[in-house]
Amino acid sequence: SSERFAFLFKPGHYNVEVPVGYYTQVAGLGDSPTDVVFTSPKGVYSEESSHSMDPGSLNTFWRAAENFQTDADFAWVSGQHGMIWAVS
C-alpha cells in the first residue's frame, strides 16, 4: 500500500482508544514510555491480535506501537512481524 499512517502523541495522559490497523504506527514522543500514558479501557489496540479473534497474533504484521504506557486491560499479542517496542 502507498498509504501509511502515524499517530504521534506528545507527553501527557490520553483517555482515547486508538485502533492500530495495517500500515499504522502509534508512537509516544516522550523521553521514556511513562511520559505518554493511555488511560482508556482499550488504549492502543489491534483487534486482530486478540486471543479471541481469528487468525489472532498471526495477523499483526505491518503495525507498530512504541514508547508509551498503557493502563488498558486489552492484551496485544505480537506475531512474528508485529512491532511493539518500549511499551509498559
Side-chain angles (χ1 to χ4, degrees), residues 1 5 7 20 22 25 28-29 32 39-41 44 54 56 58:
S1 173
F5 305 95
F7 296 95
V20 182
Y22 281 120
Q25 176 183 13
L29 299 178
S32 73
T39 60
S40 65
V44 177
D54 186 30
L58 298 177

Side-chain angles (χ1 to χ4, degrees), residues 1 4 6 9 16 18-19 21 23 25 29 31 33 35 48 52 55-56 59 62 64 67-68 74-76 84 86:
S1 173
R4 307 271 193 255
F9 290 86
V16 296
V18 184
Y23 306 110
Q25 176 183 13
L29 299 178
D31 290 332
D35 291 340
E48 291 81 2
S52 63
N59 196 25
W62 296 312
N67 200 37
F68 60 83
F74 189 87
W76 184 340
I84 302 177

Side-chain angles (χ1 to χ4, degrees), residues 62-85:
W62 296 312
R63 308 164 201 260
E66 59 188 292
N67 200 37
F68 60 83
Q69 175 181 322
T70 181
D71 294 340
D73 56 3
F74 189 87
W76 184 340
V77 181
S78 178
Q80 69 186 88
H81 292 102
M83 293 182 270
I84 302 177
W85 297 310

